[in-house]
Amino acid sequence: MEIPLTKHIKQGAFPLTAREYEKTGGYKAIQKALKEMSPADLITLVKASNLLGRGGAGFPTGVKWSLVPTGKDAPKQRYLICNADEMEPGTFKDKYLIEGNPHQLIAGMIIAAYAIQADKAYIFLRWAYKKSEVILRKAIAEAYEAGYLGKNILGTGYELDIYLHTSAGRYMCGEETALINSLEGKRAIPRNKPPYPATSGLFGKPTVVNNVETLCYIPHIVENGAAWFKSLSVTGEGGTKLYGVSGKVKNPGLWELPLGTNMREIIEQYAGGMMDGHKFRGALPGGASTDFLVEEHMDAKLDFSSVAALGSRLGTGTMIILDDKTCPVAFIHNLERFFALESCGWCTPCREGLPWVEKLLQSIEEGRGKPENLNILKFHTSYLGPGNTFCAHAPGAMEPLQSGLKYFHDDFMRHINEKHCPWRS
Amino acid sequence: MLTEEEKQEILEEVKLYPYPKVACLDALKIVQNHRGWVPDESIRDIGEFLGMPADEVDGIATFYSRIYRHPLGRHVILVCDSVSCMVMGYEPIYDHLSQKLGIRFGETTSDNRFTLLPISCLGDCDHAPAMMIDNDLYNRLTIEMLNELLEKYH
């Protein structure tokens, strides 16, 4: 089994320096991309690989790049932004890639920036990742020293600067247009689309925002080709994926596996199965803003289209397990409290709706709920759904709620009928 | 008044951008770095320095969770209260800290040693429960560990 992203990552060891990464053949892809390929060749290659954005939405990366205007009339200044804001509860994959092999990310950024002809790139790093910040600052300095960044990279005349921006902390910064506002020093509220960032992004210039994991695949695709990348997955979507598991399993963690590996294999084989005395009740497959999958979905292939067919989303691919010793109402209440707190307040349904949902869930959890509360929760899942809010924040928040109301209806009713939480004595 | 040092650091940031206002968030971080928090006076000073209304600066300052508009204790304990840490038991960790320090979330001990705050997911879910003290991350927390951990911070 090939694991291109993580093969040079050793737990507990220092990441490779620029020179060590070179010795593994690491920066070879840059030579090839900058010297032998045109930006258009690269976009064609990444499109052919079918690399789907690993930040959660699964949008084809090559298509995203191709939306940047080219030609004589196109704006000269363009930007690449690496989204390393990873704030989705339950998600810890990008940190692993940054801290494990920062030069792989830098190499991916150089190639991506070249493909869209950007000469400035930003890494938008989440506040809490203090170790990542130290590692990235060192790695960026090494890359400059080795001639992979700065003016006239490898004698090709191509120029690129990478800046590291550390966030001041807010979940909304992960939304790409809010991230751009934050980089501009503003409140991180989302922007109206269109125009999309590809035509009008940072400072009004064409901008591509890619996730860390997405960018890390780029050097490998350049080196080994689109057909190789596609052959890595179980299903046709292409590539490997970092899958993570947290919750009451024996061996929580993160593994690079073929995209489309099934949920049972990940939970039972890699995460070691449930802790003794705990039973599986459900899982959010890709972070807090995805619908529950339950026992009947155990054999589901976890790729973008298969999980979507089950009414959920692959999201970030890092699942959170709900076990039988944890109250599902408290679990969902915790999620909705997070979403209510992190709403940026820009649009009314999200700003007013999420706190209402949160308060209702709290009252049910505390034994003060009424049967009609469930109907109010249910109508929120459609009123705060896609198309009714300014961005994807509230619709994402409704995903675990709508599936939770469906799969754990009896648990909600027990709280209401027994007038207390059966999990709390 | 912004100190000369603060002004210099802010100007370094301004240089990187097409117009000065972009450095607002950087300026807030710089002031906080020097003073531990961002007082009203600094909000006005940053506004004047970057040519923007103080209210706009405050709108930005209050938006971000890690810009503090209140003074803090010498050390800040950030307890993750997101879902994976809830499943793995952040509540007993919080209860213990709260009881031992005699403060709740949002409060500072009377000797000004610790401020206790909640924080959204720290991205350490496979080692939950997790918390940070200042810039240090601690994970796989147990109640037994806490007393020893706190002793490192005076």
Side-chain angles (χ1 to χ4, degrees):
Chain A
M1 189 168 74
E2 280 191 83
I3 47 167
L5 285 195
T6 54
K7 69 180 165 196
H8 296 301
I9 300 181
K10 288 198 179 62
Q11 282 282 23
F14 287 107
L16 301 178
T17 63
R19 292 300 174 208
E20 286 164 347
Y21 183 61
E22 257 173 13
K23 279 185 198 148
T24 68
Y27 270 114
K28 261 203 320 223
I30 297 189
Q31 302 265 3
K32 186 172 173 187
L34 268 56
K35 290 185 173 167
E36 296 167 28
M37 298 176 79
S38 70
D41 290 342
L42 278 166
I43 292 173
T44 307
L45 172 72
V46 173
K47 266 189 187 168
S49 76
N50 195 42
L51 171 61
L52 302 174
R54 300 298 203 247
F59 190 79
T61 305
V63 174
K64 205 179 212 182
W65 292 2
S66 72
L67 298 174
V68 174
T70 54
K72 266 192 289 186
D73 299 334
K76 279 237 163 55
Q77 182 68 61
R78 298 119 188 263
Y79 296 100
L80 173 78
I81 299 172
C82 166
N83 187 345
D85 195 44
E86 190 159 74
M87 269 194 76
E88 182 78 16
T91 303
F92 45 97
K93 68 183 181 69
D94 294 338
K95 182 174 74 167
Y96 184 78
L97 291 171
I98 293 168
E99 295 180 2
N101 195 354
H103 286 286
Q104 174 173 255
L105 173 63
I106 293 171
M109 287 183 70
I110 295 167
I111 299 168
Y114 172 74
I116 61 161
Q117 289 290 289
D119 65 1
K120 284 192 171 63
Y122 291 86
I123 300 173
F124 192 101
L125 182 68
R126 75 164 294 187
W127 175 89
Y129 287 180
K130 301 296 179 190
K131 187 177 167 195
S132 306
E133 184 183 345
V134 173
I135 286 174
L136 274 174
R137 287 203 193 283
K138 179 169 173 278
I140 291 170
E142 286 171 1
Y144 271 103
E145 208 173 302
Y148 293 116
L149 289 173
K151 290 194 192 321
N152 195 18
I153 297 171
L154 302 174
T156 57
Y158 177 62
E159 171 182 345
L160 177 70
D161 287 307
I162 292 185
Y163 303 98
L164 179 61
H165 172 95
T166 52
S167 172
R170 202 67 200 265
Y171 176 66
M172 193 49 74
C173 294
E175 200 278 341
E176 63 178 19
T177 60
L179 185 155
I180 289 169
N181 274 337
S182 186
L183 263 186
E184 290 185 8
K186 300 174 185 161
R187 289 166 74 95
I189 51 175
R191 292 178 177 178
N192 201 19
K193 292 188 276 194
Y196 289 90
T199 48
S200 177
L202 187 61
F203 305 122
K205 304 297 183 198
T207 303
V208 163
V209 184
N210 284 146
N211 167 258
V212 171
E213 187 182 353
T214 309
L215 288 164
C216 287
Y217 283 110
I218 302 296
H220 303 287
I221 293 172
V222 167
E223 218 172 312
N224 302 303
W228 166 84
F229 184 75
K230 277 189 143 173
S231 76
L232 294 177
S233 64
V234 174
T235 52
E237 290 186 355
T240 56
K241 174 82 194 78
L242 278 185
Y243 289 102
V245 178
S246 65
K248 295 264 167 93
V249 290
K250 286 193 183 117
N251 179 32
L254 198 63
W255 309 273
E256 183 181 7
L257 300 169
L259 183 59
T261 302
N262 77 48
M263 186 155 86
R264 186 184 302 282
E265 193 179 334
I266 296 170
I267 295 176
E268 289 179 4
Q269 197 173 321
Y270 292 94
M274 299 300 291
M275 278 183 188
D276 294 335
H278 293 77
K279 284 202 187 88
F280 175 89
R281 290 211 65 199
L284 304 176
S289 63
T290 58
D291 283 89
F292 280 97
L293 295 181
V294 291
E295 187 69 40
E296 65 188 87
H297 305 126
M298 262 304 191
D299 293 308
K301 288 185 167 41
L302 297 186
D303 67 6
F304 291 98
S305 54
S306 310
V307 181
L310 299 174
S312 184
R313 292 189 304 120
L314 178 63
T316 61
T318 40
M319 65 176 97
I320 309 157
I321 308 272
L322 170 67
D323 61 278
D324 65 335
K325 299 280 194 295
T326 302
C327 169
V329 176
F331 187 97
I332 296 166
H333 174 236
N334 180 286
L335 296 169
E336 299 308 328
R337 190 189 59 193
F338 166 81
F339 287 114
L341 275 170
E342 293 294 345
S343 170
C344 77
W346 180 245
C347 76
T348 311
C350 180
R351 182 184 64 236
E352 304 298 324
L354 288 177
W356 192 4
V357 164
E358 194 262 332
K359 285 193 179 74
L360 281 174
L361 285 165
Q362 182 172 6
S363 69
I364 296 171
E365 170 65 7
E366 289 174 356
R368 294 179 284 112
K370 301 186 179 80
E372 54 267 33
N373 293 160
L374 295 183
N375 291 332
I376 303 176
L377 287 174
K378 202 160 175 216
F379 82 58
H380 273 94
T381 63
S382 57
Y383 287 179
L384 294 186
N388 294 334
T389 57
F390 200 74
C391 80
H393 180 82
M398 291 302 101
E399 291 183 25
L401 178 62
Q402 67 189 5
S403 47
L405 287 169
K406 183 166 77 180
Y407 297 125
F408 309 116
H409 178 78
D410 293 350
D411 300 300
F412 278 91
M413 287 312 292
R414 272 188 72 191
H415 281 76
I416 293 167
N417 293 335
E418 295 174 22
K419 298 195 186 325
H420 75 103
C421 172
W423 277 265
R424 290 180 201 258
S425 46
Chain B
M1 287 282 284
L2 295 171
T3 63
E4 275 313 307
E5 207 181 349
E6 286 167 338
K7 282 184 188 167
Q8 275 313 314
E9 287 178 36
I10 295 170
L11 283 175
E12 285 300 308
E13 298 294 334
V14 169
K15 272 191 221 162
L16 297 173
Y17 304 121
Y19 45 93
K21 257 170 77 163
V22 181
C24 179
L25 192 48
D26 298 302
L28 289 164
K29 284 193 218 161
I30 288 165
V31 166
Q32 181 162 294
N33 201 22
H34 286 283
R35 304 178 188 216
W37 65 296
V38 184
D40 289 347
E41 174 206 339
S42 303
I43 294 284
R44 285 194 298 272
D45 294 341
I46 290 171
E48 252 168 59
F49 194 69
L50 297 175
M52 55 200 287
D55 284 347
E56 193 182 349
V57 179
D58 205 19
I60 293 163
T62 52
F63 186 87
Y64 292 95
S65 325
R66 303 274 73 83
I67 299 291
Y68 300 120
R69 289 286 279 113
H70 293 281
L72 303 170
R74 289 193 298 282
H75 304 288
V76 182
I77 306 175
L78 297 160
V79 180
C80 173
D81 65 353
S82 289
V83 67
S84 300
C85 284
M86 185 211 107
V87 171
M88 301 307 288
Y90 89 80
E91 283 168 32
I93 299 290
Y94 167 74
D95 289 344
H96 183 84
L97 282 171
S98 173
Q99 208 169 17
K100 188 174 162 63
L101 300 173
I103 49 172
R104 288 177 303 177
F105 274 147
E107 296 176 347
T108 300
T109 53
S110 55
D111 61 358
N112 214 30
R113 185 170 158 209
F114 289 112
T115 298
L116 188 58
L117 295 174
I119 190 166
S120 300
C121 185
L122 288 168
D124 210 24
C125 321
D126 52 342
H127 307 132
M131 71 175 188
M132 282 175 88
I133 304 181
D134 301 336
N135 286 341
D136 309 320
L137 177 68
Y138 297 102
N139 56 33
R140 292 194 175 106
L141 294 171
T142 59
I143 288 172
E144 293 71 43
M145 283 165 70
L146 292 174
N147 295 346
E148 206 177 313
L149 273 183
L150 294 181
E151 275 312 302
K152 293 188 188 175
Y153 299 87
H154 287 281

